[in-house]
């Protein structure tokens, strides 16, 4: 389902044909140099085709936010380079009282600004553990736990834009549409990346962001403007938004009919749709990291839930036999940082686990019910280390 070539192969391909997979020719847009524009040094990222996962050890000395230089990138095709000054946002559809309304970048920036600290997390984050921990086949990018990031986003509320565009009381769904190249898979052109949001959510806490961590939104994260949908799977947060369809009928796209549904033996044949993320935890440590025997090691990590702040984090250093409370290091509803000091007594392989519970009692199970596309892996992850 996703391309299985390396970034190097893509560069070769780019050099050979001079452009990447049908970059759209819209005004003010030039070809990107590769599927991802920013540098992807191996100490910060693991690259999977057009996607790059953050390596968790890269967060060990960082504060609450993930810096842009290590924030994961999930591209269905490639990062377009869009000029903010010629870019426009068109709001259109039968869910408006009048005709289409167009906003320029400067008009958006003149509206009241709103800032939030929110995470973006791919629905498939942790997918590889379905196979490595549960022995189950899944398709899609084999993410570990690094397809998540927290940033400070500044922009305008989608509700303010929709009201200015004259949203009608009959509006049902709102669908942001990306300006990146059409997504072609299995020989079928599925069109631009897009996914509907019900009006109730769209008018609640959705943001049209033009800044990330105090900087203009970088190309890979949606320059000049992206959607941020708090608590929802990453695909809802459409990057490089150029059009928003407001409909008086329910809308669908391949991203809520074909993908981002739970399929498999435990689910209905038509698949179970879902929008929200789950609870997860990660150590800020390499898998198979070497830890010194008899010396105190400070194990650090982060836990997060789509539904609210984390209430407690427990750590096991003996493969789940005993659990100990981790010390909270601060956090908010985006995620919680924590620490646990461990003095390994014996050399050899050991297995760390972390398990979080949010304020509503949502916690991480031993196993996640299998779904064929490998979404929403929330089980406790087994983190191997070597005590030397
Ligand atoms: N236009 C567009 N928006 C998109 C995507 C995309 O490929 N094209 N990928 C989505 C997915 S699947 C995720 S997980 C997030 C990733 O956001 P990031 O690359 O800024 O981390 O963007 C979403 N928005
Ligand atoms: Mo995603």
């Amino acid at each position: 389902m996703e391309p299985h070539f390396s970034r190097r192969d893509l560069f070769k391909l780019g050099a050979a044909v001079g452009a990447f997979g049908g970059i759209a020719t819209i005004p003010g847009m030039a070809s990107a140099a590769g599927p991802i524009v920013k540098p992807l040094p191996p100490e910060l990222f693991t690259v999977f085709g057009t996607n790059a996962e953050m390596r968790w050890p890269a967060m060990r000395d960082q504060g609450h936010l993930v810096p842009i230089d290590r924030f994961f990138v999930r591209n269905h095709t490639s990062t377009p380079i869009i000029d903010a000054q010629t870019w426009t946002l068109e709001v259109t559809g039968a869910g408006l009282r009048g005709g289409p309304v167009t906003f320029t970048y400067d008009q958006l920036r003149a509206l009241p600004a709103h800032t939030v600290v929110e995470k973006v997390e791919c629905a498939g984050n942790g997918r590889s553990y379905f196979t490595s921990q549960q022995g189950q086949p899944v398709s899609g990018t084999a993410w570990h736990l690094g397809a998540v990031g927290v940033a400070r986003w500044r922009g305008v509320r989608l509700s303010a834009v929709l009201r200015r565009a004259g949203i009608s009381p009959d509006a049902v769904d709102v669908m942001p549409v990306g300006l990146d190249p059409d997504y072609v898979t299995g020989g079928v052109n599925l069109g631009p990346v897009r996914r509907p949001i019900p009006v109730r959510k769209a008018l609640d806490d959705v943001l049209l962001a033009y800044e990330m961590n105090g900087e203009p939104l970088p190309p890979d994260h949606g320059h000049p403007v992206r959607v941020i949908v708090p608590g929802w799977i990453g695909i809802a947060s459409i990057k490089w938004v150029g059009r928003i369809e407001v409909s008086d009928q329910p809308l669908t796209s391949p991203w809520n009919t074909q993908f981002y549904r739970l399929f498999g033996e435990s689910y209905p044949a038509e698949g179970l749709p879902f929008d929200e993320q789950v609870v997860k935890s990660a150590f800020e440590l390499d898998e198979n990291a070497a830890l010194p025997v008899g010396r105190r090691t400070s194990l650090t990590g982060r836990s997060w839930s789509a539904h609210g702040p984390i209430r407690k984090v427990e750590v096991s250093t003996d493969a789940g036999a005993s659990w100990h409370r981790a010390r909270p290091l601060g956090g908010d509803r985006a995620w919680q940082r924590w620490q646990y000091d461990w003095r390994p007594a014996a050399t050899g392989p050991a297995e760390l686990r972390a398990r979080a519970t949010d304020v509503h009692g949502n916690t991480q199970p031993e196993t996640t019910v299998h779904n064929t596309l490998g979404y929403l892996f929330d089980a406790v992850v087994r983190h191997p280390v070597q005590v030397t």
Side-chain angles (χ1 to χ4, degrees):
M1 177 174 300
E2 314 220 15
H4 291 288
F5 29 73
S6 70
R7 179 173 163 76
R8 243 231 316 281
D9 291 340
L10 283 174
F11 271 122
K12 277 190 262 167
L13 185 68
V17 302
F20 272 93
I23 296 226
T25 48
I26 60 158
M29 192 169 122
S31 297
I36 297 175
V37 169
K38 69 184 176 184
L40 301 171
E43 65 277 16
L44 301 183
F45 291 102
T46 306
V47 177
F48 301 94
T50 60
N51 312 305
E53 157 164 25
M54 179 188 78
R55 291 195 48 238
W56 267 99
M59 284 308 291
R60 186 168 163 91
D61 302 315
Q62 299 298 320
H64 190 67
L65 305 178
V66 176
I68 289 166
D69 69 359
R70 59 206 68 191
F71 204 100
F72 87 102
V73 181
R74 195 309 190 212
N75 282 351
H76 281 73
T77 59
S78 58
T79 294
I81 303 297
I82 299 173
D83 176 2
Q85 289 312 314
T86 52
W87 170 89
T88 56
L89 174 65
E90 188 190 40
V91 184
T92 175
L96 297 181
R97 289 195 303 270
V101 178
T102 297
F103 296 83
T104 66
Y105 186 70
D106 292 339
Q107 284 169 338
L108 268 198
R109 296 222 46 149
L111 296 178
H114 184 63
T115 301
V116 294
V117 172
E118 287 291 349
K119 61 189 160 286
V120 173
E121 183 180 16
C122 190
N125 193 27
R127 176 181 286 129
S128 68
Y129 300 105
F130 277 105
T131 307
S132 63
Q133 265 184 215
Q134 303 188 175
Q136 295 161 331
V138 286
S139 58
T141 300
W143 304 113
H144 288 234
L145 286 172
V148 61
V150 170
R152 179 178 297 115
W153 310 96
R154 184 164 182 264
V156 298
R157 293 181 199 268
L158 177 57
S159 60
V161 168
L162 292 176
R163 292 212 170 88
R164 266 184 181 68
I167 188 170
S168 127
D170 300 331
V172 171
D173 274 347
V174 171
M175 181 141 74
V177 182
L179 290 169
D180 41 339
D182 287 0
Y183 183 54
V184 179
T185 184
V188 181
N189 186 338
L190 299 179
V193 178
R194 62 201 189 282
R195 191 175 194 268
I197 306 170
V199 157
R200 208 165 67 115
K201 178 72 173 171
L203 293 179
D204 179 16
D205 58 356
V206 178
L207 192 72
L208 290 173
Y210 46 69
E211 273 180 26
M212 179 180 186
N213 294 348
E215 291 181 34
L217 203 58
D220 295 312
H221 299 290
H223 183 86
V225 175
R226 80 173 301 168
V227 180
I228 291 290
V229 184
W232 282 32
I233 52 176
I235 186 61
S237 294
I238 294 293
K239 304 191 277 187
W240 316 291
V241 61
R243 190 160 59 86
I244 298 179
E245 185 182 347
V246 184
S247 174
D248 60 356
Q249 304 293 321
L251 294 173
T252 60
S253 88
W255 288 269
N256 73 344
T257 56
Q258 188 174 344
F259 315 118
Y260 305 101
R261 291 174 92 95
L262 303 175
F263 293 103
E265 55 288 355
S266 307
Y267 293 103
E270 69 277 16
L272 188 69
F274 66 95
D275 297 308
E276 294 185 345
Q277 269 291 358
V278 289
V279 186
K280 288 197 189 72
S281 301
F283 287 93
E284 295 165 345
L285 189 68
D286 264 321
E287 286 188 16
N288 292 309
L291 304 179
V293 69
R295 293 230 318 265
R296 194 176 54 137
T297 293
S298 164
L299 302 172
T300 62
R302 303 181 192 229
S303 298
W304 59 97
S305 163
H307 309 292
I310 295 296
R311 193 184 72 216
K312 69 168 177 183
V313 179
E314 299 154 292
V315 169
S316 172
T317 56
D318 53 11
S322 62
W323 292 89
H324 315 273
R325 281 294 269 271
R327 188 162 70 87
L329 296 181
D332 57 17
R333 65 187 213 120
W335 61 15
Q336 172 70 46
R337 298 169 63 199
W338 46 261
Q339 180 197 357
Y340 179 73
D341 287 341
W342 182 42
R343 192 190 302 271
T347 59
E351 189 190 285
L352 310 178
R353 299 186 185 187
R355 177 173 68 197
T357 305
D358 73 14
V359 292
H360 305 292
N362 300 302
T363 188
Q364 300 185 249
E366 279 277 304
T367 54
T368 301
V369 174
H370 175 248
N371 68 91
T372 57
L373 298 182
Y375 296 127
L376 302 183
F377 188 89
D378 61 347
V380 172
V381 168
R382 301 172 195 168
H383 191 118
V385 293
Q386 298 296 329
V387 179
T388 56

